[in-house]
Structure formats: structure tokens, C-alpha cells
């Protein structure tokens, strides 16, 4: 091999083009030789077309591999089976994203695989996926089922996305690592004590893969970016009106590095259930319960 490979791994952009731009610039400055993109490029932050243009530019400039994540599948499924996505904090950000995608964007998502193996000259094969090699939505956090999936792989190393966290586990001679999130990294769940900045506040997170003694070694890095631009985009796009609590949670994540995206919707559903008896689905939960749940967890509303 003429040059030792340095693979830049970028996952879970979630439409945060400001963070993606900074991470791509950082990878180029560091001398990355290959780029691996692990899905969930769009939804949540506004202006998906900006994110997709950055990805196309990366493909023109570098040796890249792309797979799709569950968010791309949401868009594909909506095109094939249009449902009733509604304005509001549950689905307003999905609507915003879908409306700004072109038929060509959706066709590209459709043709992307959900996993792959990259064989670089002189290096061991590298397995990669979004959730798992079998489905985009699998967590694979080290539970027995995920370790069984890992054990079935022929490759000794698997890099994945989807969890938005950075971790690495070894099991019976194989290693699995999660690359973190470029656009919505999380260090801890939101808690009722309110917003407290975590180590990932106002940064994007990506991973570099290098060879050490014939094996792939992951190194996660935090990359500062123009977070004010990301927050300005929430307002300028109209997302603060279309999905007010979701936009507030995005701002909370940018500023603190905390993860309100499961605890707040789940709490909103429980608040609604307490008054309406039946367990609702998230789209059925009125906005006032989303707002109450957000306030409980220290998410500042617009």
C-alpha cells in the first residue's frame, strides 16, 4: 500500500449542514484518504438540500462509500405509501424535510445499501452499517442478540452509526465501534435538573479509523462548528413554527450535547395518557403536552 489509509467516518448528520461542513473540512485538513458515510443524513435540522450538496461534493473530491439510515427509509416509505404526516412537534420536521427533497434525492436513497464491507489494499476488511448489518433501526449496544450478529460476521471489525454515542466493545476476537453523530451528538439523556452542557455541546463528533498492528483502530474526535448558524437556520426555515417543541429540542441538543429526543416525547405521551386513559401514539399527542414535557426536562421553548 503506497499510503497508510486514514478513513473519516461520518454518521447521523440529521440535516445539520453546519456541523457536516466543519467535519468535512477537518477531515480534509487531517489528510483523510477515504470517507465512510453511515446514513441518517437528513431530517430534524432544516434545509436537507444543503446537506446533500455537501455529500455530493465530498463524493466528487474523495474516495467515498455511502449507506442509508432509517431516516432515509422514512422518506422512501413516505413516497411509496403517503401517510398523513401532520404539522406539529411530532412530524413537522419530517414534513419540512420531505417537501425539500427532489425525486433524484429519493432515488439515491433507494439505491443505497444498508451495510457493506470495504476492502482496502493491504488492510483487513472493514464491515460497516447504520443500525446493524441486517436492519437500519437495530441498536446493537452489546446485548446478547447484537453480539450474536457480530459473531456471524466474517470480518473482525464493525463500525456503525445510529446510537449517536461513541463506544467500542470487543467480543470473542471481534470489535464493534459506534462512530458518534456529526449533527446531533449526545453524551447523556436530558434530566429534570435542566440544561447542563455536556462535552459534546456545540460540536460535531466523527471517527477516524487507522491501522495498528494490522487491525482497525477507531478514534473519535469533536469538531467545533458554527452552531449559531445552525440555530439561526431553525428560525429562518420556519421549523420553530412547524415543529416548535422539536425545534426547541434541537436547540437544546446543540447547546448542551444532551439527548431530549426520547424522554420528552415519551413523557408527553404519558401526560396525555394520564388525562385521556388510552395510550396514544406520538402523532396523536396534542402540542400542549409536548410543551409541558419539554419544560419538565429543562428544554427552553421558543
Amino acid at each position: 500500500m503506497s499510503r497508510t489509509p486514514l478513513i473519516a467516518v461520518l454518521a447521523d448528520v440529521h440535516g445539520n449542514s453546519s456541523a457536516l461542513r466543519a467535519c468535512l473540512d477537518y477531515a480534509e485538513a487531517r489528510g483523510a484518504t477515504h470517507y465512510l458515510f453511515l446514513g441518517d443524513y437528513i431530517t430534524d435540522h432544516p434545509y436537507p438540500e444543503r446537506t446533500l450538496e455537501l455529500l455530493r461534493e465530498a463524493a466528487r473530491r474523495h474516495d467515498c462509500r455511502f449507506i442509508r439510515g432509517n431516516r432515509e427509509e422514512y422518506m422512501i416509505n413516505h413516497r411509496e405509501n403517503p401517510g398523513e404526516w401532520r404539522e406539529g412537534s411530532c412530524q413537522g420536521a419530517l414534513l419540512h424535510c420531505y417537501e425539500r427533497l427532489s425525486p433524484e434525492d429519493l432515488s439515491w436513497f433507494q439505491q443505497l445499501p444498508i451495510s457493506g464491507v470495504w476492502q482496502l489494499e493491504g488492510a483487513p476488511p472493514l464491515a460497516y452499517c447504520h443500525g446493524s448489518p441486517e436492519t437500519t433501526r437495530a441498536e446493537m449496544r452489546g446485548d446478547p442478540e447484537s453480539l450474536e450478529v457480530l459473531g456471524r460476521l466474517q470480518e473482525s471489525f464493525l463500525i456503525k452509526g445510529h446510537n449517536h454515542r461513541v463506544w467500542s466493545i470487543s467480543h470473542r476476537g471481534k470489535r464493534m465501534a459506534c462512530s458518534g453523530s456529526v449533527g446531533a451528538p449526545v453524551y447523556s439523556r436530558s434530566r429534570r435538573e435542566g440544561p447542563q452542557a455536556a462535552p459534546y455541546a456545540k460540536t460535531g463528533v466523527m471517527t477516524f479509523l487507522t491501522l495498528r498492528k494490522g487491525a482497525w483502530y477507531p478514534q473519535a474526535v469533536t469538531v467545533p462548528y458554527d452552531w449559531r448558524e445552525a440555530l439561526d437556520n431553525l428560525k429562518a426555515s420556519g421549523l420553530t413554527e412547524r415543529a416548535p417543541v422539536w425545534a426547541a429540542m434541537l436547540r437544546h441538543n446543540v447547546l448542551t450535547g444532551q439527548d431530549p429526543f426520547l424522554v420528552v416525547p415519551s413523557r408527553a405521551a404519558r401526560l396525555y395518557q394520564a388525562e385521556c386513559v388510552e395510550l396514544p401514539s406520538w402523532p396523536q399527542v396534542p402540542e400542549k403536552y409536548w410543551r409541558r414535557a419539554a419544560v419538565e426536562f429543562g428544554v427552553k421553548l421558543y
Side-chain angles (χ1 to χ4, degrees):
M1 183 180 296
S2 60
R3 185 180 178 188
T4 302
L6 177 63
I7 302 178
V9 184
L10 301 99
D12 295 280
V13 179
H14 286 274
N16 191 340
S17 57
S18 305
L20 176 59
R21 187 186 313 114
C23 286
L24 288 170
D25 289 345
Y26 182 86
E28 187 162 358
R30 185 161 167 174
T33 59
H34 303 76
Y35 290 70
L36 180 57
F37 296 88
L38 298 183
D40 275 12
Y41 311 116
I42 44 87
T43 72
D44 294 330
H45 283 271
Y47 305 127
E49 64 273 27
R50 299 179 184 178
T51 293
L52 293 173
E53 180 52 39
L54 287 169
L55 296 179
R56 294 186 183 101
E57 177 63 20
R60 289 190 289 266
R61 293 170 54 87
H62 306 291
D63 187 357
C64 299
R65 296 292 185 276
F66 296 90
I67 58 175
R68 72 172 181 262
N70 56 290
R71 296 308 182 101
E72 286 75 47
E73 290 188 342
Y74 291 173
M75 300 295 111
I76 296 168
N77 293 338
H78 188 70
R79 177 186 62 177
E80 297 176 351
N81 299 287
E84 294 184 357
W85 280 354
R86 309 172 184 175
E87 301 286 350
S89 291
C90 183
Q91 297 169 321
L94 294 174
L95 271 173
H96 170 90
C97 180
Y98 186 81
E99 291 168 359
R100 301 184 79 96
L101 295 174
S102 70
E104 292 75 20
D105 297 331
L106 293 166
S107 295
W108 183 59
F109 297 158
Q110 182 77 61
Q111 61 89 23
L112 291 175
I114 66 168
S115 62
V117 176
W118 205 347
Q119 179 67 74
L120 298 179
E121 180 186 355
L126 168 65
Y128 55 91
C129 64
H130 180 70
S132 81
E134 300 169 353
T135 174
T136 61
R137 300 197 68 180
E139 296 290 338
M140 288 195 76
R141 296 180 183 272
D143 57 280
E145 183 178 352
S146 66
L147 293 179
E148 182 180 342
V149 173
L150 180 64
R152 291 198 296 267
L153 292 179
Q154 294 183 352
E155 298 76 29
S156 60
F157 184 82
L158 172 69
I159 186 78
K160 70 181 297 289
H162 191 50
N163 302 126
H164 291 224
R165 287 168 169 76
V166 174
W167 49 259
S168 175
I169 61 173
S170 297
H171 178 69
R172 295 183 177 178
K174 296 187 178 182
R175 190 174 188 184
M176 174 171 59
C178 188
S179 64
S181 169
V182 169
V186 293
Y187 185 81
S188 63
R189 297 291 187 200
S190 288
R191 296 179 173 85
R192 281 187 170 85
E193 58 263 27
Q196 298 178 358
Y200 295 159
K202 303 175 184 177
T203 67
V205 177
M206 61 183 299
T207 289
F208 288 93
L209 297 179
T210 55
L211 282 175
R212 291 189 180 182
K213 298 180 180 180
W216 290 110
Y217 176 80
Q219 179 196 26
V221 298
T222 56
V223 181
Y225 70 95
D226 188 352
W227 57 270
R228 292 182 178 84
E229 178 184 65
L231 298 190
D232 289 344
N233 287 340
L234 294 174
K235 286 189 175 182
S237 66
L239 200 62
T240 54
E241 287 76 38
R242 300 190 73 175
V245 175
W246 200 264
M249 289 194 293
L250 289 168
R251 179 179 61 186
H252 182 88
N253 170 254
V254 167
L255 294 176
T256 69
Q258 292 183 353
D259 177 10
F261 300 110
L262 289 178
V263 293
V264 169
S266 297
R267 177 59 176 162
R270 289 196 299 272
L271 289 170
Y272 183 46
Q273 181 190 18
E275 295 185 8
C276 302
V277 181
E278 294 184 2
L279 180 65
S281 63
W282 288 355
Q284 296 173 317
V285 177
E287 200 70 22
K288 68 177 183 179
Y289 297 100
W290 283 78
R291 298 178 70 87
R292 282 172 54 185
V295 170
E296 282 188 12
F297 286 93
V299 176
K300 182 180 179 182
L301 300 175
Y302 283 97

